[in-house]
Amino acid sequence: MQRTVPASGKNRLLQRISGILYPGRCVLCDSILEKSADMVCRDCRPLVQFIGEPRCCRCGRPLETDTEAYCENCKIHPRLFEKGFAPFVYDGAVKEALMRLKYGHRAENARFFGKAMYVCGKQFLAETAPQAVVPVPIHRERKMRRGYNQAELLAESLADLTGIPVIKDRILRVRGTAPQKELGVRQRRKNLAGAFRIAGTAGRDRIFPARVLIVDDIYTTGSTIDTIAALLLRAGAETVYFTCAAIAAGFSV
């Protein structure tokens, strides 16, 4: 008589085979992981350092001193989002890991950053109690070339750990835009004008809950988060928060 392997046993067997054929790589240095390591190798563990105080009370950007409540960027530019945070500064090994997630087909890196957002943001999430997570969309042509939307992967990873539902495909990126990284604040806002819209509605129907958390990969000036926040507020949200995998330090224009 033929033995049948339980589904759980099959899954474990497939995971072992997959681990042999496609060994995991360290998120931060991209080296092959030892069997006992999970996402980060032993040498890179000291590099996993969350942003501490003092931080901007609005965007969570690290501050040089605790004499100011807000970063220069948030003092200059009014915000539509309430507040947000990122676990890491966008620099060094973290920057390289996000570049591999975004451009190097390392979709598995999203699990590490999703877990980091969860661990670093436990208090934030408890205090704000978001009712839905909304990833920043990318244009469909870019998604086809890349194979995925990195913000969507981050949102799903965070949702798996928190139980907060993900709402996707209700905000669409309808126009391709120039890369934001080379633009200043005003140029970024102009670049994003008309780039997003709410799907299947005039934009004033209540299709989002009261408290919404936007998820993206990188926060620089806040222009993208504010643009999405404006749409959410028009479509039922009362308070908008955000989290990103990393935030650029010292951006003041």
Side-chain angles (χ1 to χ4, degrees), residues 23-235:
R25 289 183 174 273
C26 173
V27 171
L28 296 181
C29 71
D30 208 35
S31 63
I32 294 176
L33 288 171
E34 300 174 359
K35 290 182 180 179
S36 59
D38 182 24
M39 295 188 282
V40 178
C41 71
R42 185 182 306 170
D43 292 339
C44 287
R45 284 173 196 166
L47 301 178
V48 182
Q49 297 183 5
F50 294 149
I51 296 172
E53 298 292 348
R55 293 181 292 181
C56 175
C57 293
R58 183 73 73 188
C59 72
R61 196 190 309 273
L63 300 174
E64 291 184 4
T65 69
D66 57 5
T67 58
E68 299 287 343
Y70 301 99
C71 68
E72 291 300 314
N73 192 255
C74 286
K75 285 193 289 188
I76 294 170
H77 303 287
R79 297 301 186 194
L80 294 177
F81 62 83
E82 185 66 20
K83 60 181 179 178
F85 78 96
F88 301 114
V89 171
Y90 182 59
D91 195 12
V94 166
K95 180 178 180 178
E96 294 301 317
L98 282 171
M99 289 299 97
R100 285 191 289 272
L101 167 63
K102 201 167 182 175
Y103 304 114
H105 306 290
R106 286 283 192 270
E108 64 272 20
N109 286 9
R111 186 167 69 93
F112 167 79
F113 287 108
K115 186 173 182 180
M117 288 189 285
Y118 170 69
V119 173
C120 181
K122 280 185 178 179
Q123 184 177 345
F124 178 95
L125 295 170
E127 292 174 352
T128 59
Q131 297 163 293
V133 175
V134 173
V136 172
I138 61 175
H139 195 270
R140 62 182 180 276
E141 292 180 1
R142 186 169 295 176
K143 187 174 182 178
M144 287 178 64
R145 290 196 302 269
R146 190 171 297 166
Y148 54 82
N149 172 8
Q150 70 279 355
E152 195 172 295
L153 295 182
L154 292 168
E156 290 171 347
S157 178
L158 181 61
D160 287 343
L161 295 166
T162 62
I164 305 170
V166 178
I167 298 178
K168 56 185 180 181
D169 300 328
R170 287 192 183 176
I171 292 184
L172 306 177
R173 192 158 196 153
V174 294
R175 182 174 63 80
T177 55
Q180 293 276 89
K181 61 184 178 180
E182 298 176 359
L183 305 178
V185 174
R186 292 182 180 178
Q187 292 173 310
R188 285 169 184 252
R189 293 183 185 278
K190 185 176 180 180
N191 188 43
L192 293 171
F196 303 95
R197 70 172 175 84
I198 299 171
T201 176
R204 298 191 180 277
D205 299 332
R206 188 179 181 87
I207 60 174
F208 292 98
R211 299 182 303 278
V212 179
L213 179 71
I214 300 172
V215 174
D216 204 3
D217 53 349
I218 305 159
Y219 180 104
T220 307
T221 67
S223 299
T224 300
I225 300 297
D226 265 332
T227 301
I228 300 297
L231 291 176
L232 293 172
L233 292 168
R234 289 176 55 199

